[in-house]
Amino acid sequence: MIIISILLVSCSKSFTGAEAALQGQPTGTAFWANADAATAGRAVTAIYANLRSWNNVGMAPVCLENMGSDDAVKGSVANDATYVNLYDNFTVTASEGQLDGFWIGQYQNVNFCNEVIDNLPNISMDASLKARYIGEAKFVRAYSYFRLVRAFGNIPLVLSLPSTAEELNPKQVSSAKVYLAIEQDLTDAATVLPATYGPADIGRATKGAALALHAKVAMYQNKWSDVLTYTKQVMQSGVYSLFPDYYGMFRIANENCSESIFEIQCNYVAGNGDLSNSQYAQIQGNRDANAGWGFDVPTQNLVNAFETGDPRLQATVMMEGTVTPSGDAVPMASAGAPTMYNMKTYVPFAVATADNQGADQNFRVLRYADVLLMNAEANNQLGNTADALASLEMVRARARAQSVNPLVDLPKITTTDQTTLRTDIWHERRVELAMENDRYFDVIRQGRAATIFGPLGWKANKNEVWPIPQVEIDKSGGVLVQNQGY
């Protein structure tokens, strides 16, 4: 925790706050003076520690990465955190605080990574470990920039520790340039990261994580040949497989299972607050069961999207008056409270008490089913219908095997029409990855947002991105430019 505090001081509150960066710079310099391999290891650990912070997995990402979709609505009770509604109905303005929280969280990650990437080459240590550490930092930097570019479009691209006045107050670059930098980081990371780790290093970025994220980044740019290349490498690695129990996959006991490609590791420590305890599950836990705050709840629209007999519905949506597969009786909603909750963040009610309302729950970032569906979509786009159907069927077969009537439920998709199959794959992405922060950006990159989100208030040529936080524009002295329509 000491190393986290030191490095946090060395980074500005945001990369556009030049005075804060200058103020903290001597502490960062002092930290790296006479650094050794142990120092490097602590610095890399700090990168992972910050990933589970409030601005990375708390309310800000819930608002920016899921609330705009047709999968979720605010939840909780009417007078609690009413600002969440602004993301749900697309009336948010640049002054809303979650925008800046998300911005700060991602750029803190970037600065942690730049500290390692810039300083490690000067340290005398084992060359392969040094390369791995730098690869881990590049993976996390790519992940943070991917979150930023999806959310905001044109953003500052900071790839080294700032030193000049211009570097301390950088201009925005095009999203295309950001994507190029992300892809370079992931290419570099995949070259040096191991396929697996031993038990002591579970949760670190792997070669498969870099390849899977690269596939997703390529998908957002319609680079279908690249998507196919990277997903095939993951599929042929022999490291990953679909976990047989879809519901069980999201429980704490099965974190980092065979399907997990990258998870943000969260471990409950009593009284430790944001330093180690994630609040992602707490935000979404069942309010009436005193298991959380009850935000970011599923919609009836999402419930209706599941096919009859799809067991993933029960594993995704916790409904009032039912009993969870883990044996908790879900209470009927009190006045004004939600009637449904996100089952994927569920922690048994007996555990979700006091400050441990899901604090142990890992944040799933990448899993193998996502890779299979990206592979299916890429194959379909490239005219490889049989391969597309095969990858799609693997995902459906896992769900079908857990259904009550496996001979009837979730029949195989057999269409060879490219347009129809594309729609089927998009549907499968929705139900398979529901409430996992993909649906909103998926629909936008598919070009369907005006049709699907339009009735919710979404407007073309504006809501493809969120507004740049006004506080960052102000701190930059106008160097940063607001997105169109805000």
Side-chain angles (χ1 to χ4, degrees):
M1 293 305 103
I2 292 173
I3 185 66
I4 298 170
S5 300
I6 291 172
L7 289 182
L8 278 174
V9 169
S10 73
C11 73
S12 63
K13 190 169 179 67
S14 86
F15 274 96
T16 56
E19 69 288 343
L22 285 170
Q23 185 180 21
Q25 195 173 0
T27 303
T29 302
F31 171 77
W32 288 104
N34 303 312
D36 56 14
T39 302
R42 291 194 294 271
V44 175
T45 298
I47 293 173
Y48 290 106
N50 200 57
L51 283 176
R52 61 191 177 205
S53 66
W54 174 255
N55 283 332
N56 275 283
V57 297
M59 188 65 87
V62 164
C63 287
L64 273 70
E65 295 185 319
N66 200 48
M67 194 51 55
S69 78
D70 51 349
D71 281 2
V73 291
K74 170 183 169 287
S76 188
V77 293
N79 62 352
D80 193 1
T82 56
Y83 60 82
V84 178
N85 288 318
L86 304 177
Y87 296 87
D88 190 36
N89 59 25
F90 303 102
T91 59
V92 68
T93 63
S95 61
E96 207 296 299
Q98 304 312 305
L99 297 165
D100 198 42
F102 187 80
W103 181 281
I104 288 169
Q106 302 319 303
Y107 277 113
Q108 280 183 339
N109 294 340
V110 168
N111 195 47
F112 275 106
C113 295
N114 286 345
E115 288 274 2
V116 169
I117 293 165
D118 281 11
N119 286 291
L120 240 61
N122 300 320
I123 295 177
S124 178
M125 59 180 291
D126 178 80
S128 61
L129 182 58
K130 180 190 294 188
R132 194 197 87 190
Y133 280 164
I134 293 174
E136 290 178 71
K138 287 189 173 183
F139 170 82
V140 174
R141 184 168 72 177
Y143 170 56
S144 295
Y145 271 129
F146 180 55
R147 297 179 83 179
L148 281 166
V149 75
R150 285 200 312 182
F152 298 112
N154 298 344
I155 55 172
L157 180 63
V158 183
L159 297 175
S160 61
L161 295 172
S163 57
T164 67
E166 184 177 0
E167 290 173 343
L168 285 162
N169 192 21
K171 298 178 181 178
Q172 291 148 291
V173 301
S174 68
S175 58
K177 188 170 183 179
V178 177
Y179 274 117
L180 283 174
I182 293 171
E183 292 198 275
Q184 185 61 60
D185 271 354
L186 293 172
T187 297
D188 294 346
T191 301
V192 296
L193 292 177
T196 59
Y197 291 94
D201 289 311
I202 293 297
R204 291 181 178 273
T206 61
K207 180 183 183 71
L211 292 169
L213 183 56
H214 205 158
K216 182 163 284 192
V217 168
M219 181 174 68
Y220 272 76
Q221 302 172 85
N222 297 318
K223 295 182 176 180
W224 297 112
S225 293
D226 287 351
V227 177
L228 192 59
T229 295
Y230 299 127
T231 55
K232 286 176 68 174
Q233 288 184 56
V234 176
M235 293 164 66
Q236 294 169 0
S237 68
V239 175
Y240 309 102
S241 60
L242 294 174
F243 193 70
D245 182 357
Y246 185 85
Y247 166 84
M249 173 172 55
F250 297 98
R251 306 286 70 80
I252 290 173
N254 295 314
E255 291 172 343
N256 306 303
C257 66
S258 64
E259 187 162 339
S260 172
I261 297 178
F262 186 71
E263 301 181 12
I264 295 173
Q265 307 296 302
C266 304
N267 302 104
Y268 172 66
V269 179
N272 218 28
D274 209 22
L275 289 175
S276 67
N277 301 339
S278 166
Q279 292 181 271
Y280 179 68
Q282 180 182 43
I283 289 169
Q284 301 173 76
N286 188 298
R287 189 180 181 96
D288 282 303
N290 194 31
W293 304 344
F295 290 102
D296 193 33
V297 300
T299 62
Q300 188 62 44
N301 185 293
L302 172 60
V303 172
N304 295 342
F306 285 87
E307 295 168 67
T308 301
D310 191 337
R312 291 173 294 189
L313 174 57
Q314 185 187 28
T316 302
V317 182
M318 178 190 293
M319 300 183 182
E320 65 173 358
T322 63
V323 177
T324 71
S326 298
D328 276 326
V330 182
M332 299 298 290
S334 59
T339 61
M340 297 186 290
Y341 293 91
N342 182 4
M343 185 73 88
K344 290 181 177 179
T345 62
Y346 158 68
V347 174
F349 298 157
V351 176
T353 57
D355 61 340
N356 184 26
Q357 291 180 321
D360 255 335
Q361 184 88 335
N362 282 2
F363 184 92
R364 274 73 169 178
V365 176
L366 293 164
R367 57 187 182 89
Y368 189 53
D370 192 359
V371 169
L372 291 173
L373 292 174
M374 287 191 287
N375 178 268
E377 190 168 348
N379 270 309
N380 184 57
Q381 289 294 129
L382 297 171
N384 306 324
T385 308
D387 289 340
L389 289 169
S391 292
L392 176 61
E393 171 58 18
M394 289 175 68
V395 176
R396 290 178 65 82
R398 188 259 301 272
R400 185 187 307 120
Q402 294 186 270
S403 69
V404 175
N405 298 302
L407 299 179
V408 177
D409 296 333
L410 299 168
K412 284 187 177 183
I413 303 296
T414 59
T415 181
T416 57
D417 178 77
Q418 185 182 52
T419 300
T420 303
L421 181 53
R422 182 186 300 117
T423 300
D424 289 339
I425 293 168
W426 287 345
H427 170 267
E428 201 68 25
R429 285 190 66 82
R430 184 182 189 187
V431 296
E432 173 68 28
L433 304 174
M435 303 300 289
E436 296 181 51
N437 306 311
D438 264 315
R439 170 69 174 176
Y440 179 64
F441 294 114
D442 252 357
V443 171
I444 292 174
R445 61 116 182 145
Q446 292 161 2
R448 302 190 295 158
T451 300
I452 294 176
F453 301 150
L456 305 177
W458 194 94
K459 295 180 177 60
N461 302 315
K462 175 184 177 181
N463 294 127
E464 289 83 359
V465 290
W466 297 111
I468 303 294
Q470 187 61 45
V471 65
E472 300 298 339
I473 293 175
D474 294 343
K475 286 192 292 185
S476 76
V479 170
L480 298 183
V481 178
Q482 187 53 268
N483 284 328
Q484 179 179 330
Y486 292 103

